[in-house]
Amino acid sequence: MMGKFELLQEKRRRPKESTVEAATTIAQVAVFSIVQLKEYCREHDLPQSGSKLQLVQRVSVHLKLPAAGASMEI
């Protein structure tokens, strides 16, 4: 789990015009607001209920992002 410091650093790296679809890591998805995550879920016919953590996980799975700590090597 990321600490507040890491999330703040990730938020600073995210361009203002960034969209949920452009996220390449779970950390990038986590910096979006609940409203933005729910909007993404609504647009892609995903459940909109649950906590922010559940929404982040749901969107990350939908975007097929690698799990936290997973190696990108094949």
Side-chain angles (χ1 to χ4, degrees):
M1 181 117 219
M2 295 184 77
K4 287 184 180 181
F5 181 73
E6 290 89 358
L7 285 175
L8 287 173
Q9 284 182 322
E10 189 66 40
K11 191 170 187 175
R12 287 187 191 118
R13 285 189 283 248
R14 181 173 55 102
K16 296 286 186 207
E17 66 278 352
S18 180
T19 62
V20 175
E21 291 89 356
T24 57
T25 66
I26 294 173
Q28 289 175 345
V29 173
V31 298
F32 287 95
S33 70
I34 292 174
V35 172
Q36 291 169 308
L37 294 170
K38 285 185 176 186
E39 181 179 331
Y40 178 87
C41 288
R42 185 174 40 257
E43 291 171 355
H44 293 89
D45 296 323
L46 300 172
Q48 301 171 39
S49 62
S51 67
K52 182 172 181 177
L53 177 60
Q54 291 170 324
L55 291 170
V56 168
Q57 290 172 337
R58 190 173 298 133
V59 169
S60 298
V61 168
H62 188 258
L63 292 171
K64 298 178 181 157
L65 300 179
S71 175
M72 296 293 288
E73 297 177 16
I74 295 177

